[in-house]
Amino acid sequence: MHFVHESLPQRVRFQTGDAAAAVTAEVERLGAARVMVIAGSAEGELADLVTSGLTPVLRHDEVVMHVPIEVAERARAAAVESRADAIVSVGGGSTTGLAKAVALTTGLPIVAVPTTYAGSEATAVWGLTEASRKTTGVDPVVLPRAVVYDATLLRSLPVELSVASGLNALAHCVDSLWAPQADPINAVLATEGARALRDGLPLVAGDPAGLPGIELALYGAHLAAKAFASAGSGLHHKICHVLGGRYDLPHAQTHATVLPYVLALNAPNAPEAATRLAGAFGSPTALAGLQELRSTLGAPRALRDVGLEEADIPAAVEDVLAIAPPSNPTPVTTENLTRLLQAAWAGEEPQ
């Protein structure tokens, strides 16, 4: 057995119903006195609640999907001008991503308070979009020093977004089983994360305000992100980053739609991963288990429904081929990638 596994240094607090006290404690632990709060306008009330024990020097609400470079530059300038010494981010993956973009150039520590199942809060991965191309990288400075999970903050999340965000988290599990730095520890985290999401997401869909389902899904999403943080970005994430950056497709919905097609492509050549996922889903095969869950949840089905044009596919294939991991279980070719994206565009049954 030969592998290298890196565990990231981060405090994680599951504190349902008590995010404000947890955030205040984590900011005090950092010794910070001039806090910049990043939260989109839609999360304004939640941000007020979460930071009620603080006196922020700046509230920044320009949050844009895929973190365009010009948006990041304005947030960075605002942080410097206000002489902030820490960031509290309240929101989903776009909000956490903007906080990371600020941390990347300023070194400011982040306390992240997620309001979706995105998982960005548990990784050292940053992403920026410039000229319709999304660039990602890994830097320990962007890893939030602390994460506060409070299930009550997700009670108002629309069911459709909960489903898409939860399936995005599940994509972290799946990709972690064959990503470039996949290892046995990542596999344990990914498998348990998939099981928790399989159990939790139907509860959320059936009772969006129910805390047991939200807590279970948050737990699964965190494990998924930890596995992804160590294993790295596999083919699924390369595809979705190209589609999101180049065509400005919605992040979570794109991941939720593409996932079964990547699983169908790779499972025949990744039998151990497929067996693990089938067990986590309680299904004879990994693909059957994923499709049953997607059917239960009413998951997004076609890329054409989220904004991709069929004419966009050839250029997307070219971009993905340039960054596809050589270690992908099934060698990626123009032909099979084109078939994958055409099927995902049309919403055909993956096979």
Side-chain angles (χ1 to χ4, degrees), residues 1-2 23 29 71 93 132 163 201 231 277 285 295 301 320 351:
M1 185 178 290
H2 295 274
V23 167
R29 186 169 179 271
V71 172
S132 297
V163 166
L201 289 176
L277 287 171
T285 70
S295 177
R301 292 185 55 86
V320 174
Q351 51 187 307

Side-chain angles (χ1 to χ4, degrees), residues 146-170:
V147 183
V148 174
Y149 291 107
D150 181 346
T152 65
L153 302 181
L154 282 75
R155 279 179 150 169
S156 60
L157 194 65
V159 172
E160 294 80 7
L161 185 52
S162 291
V163 166
S165 182
L167 289 172
N168 177 24
L170 187 58

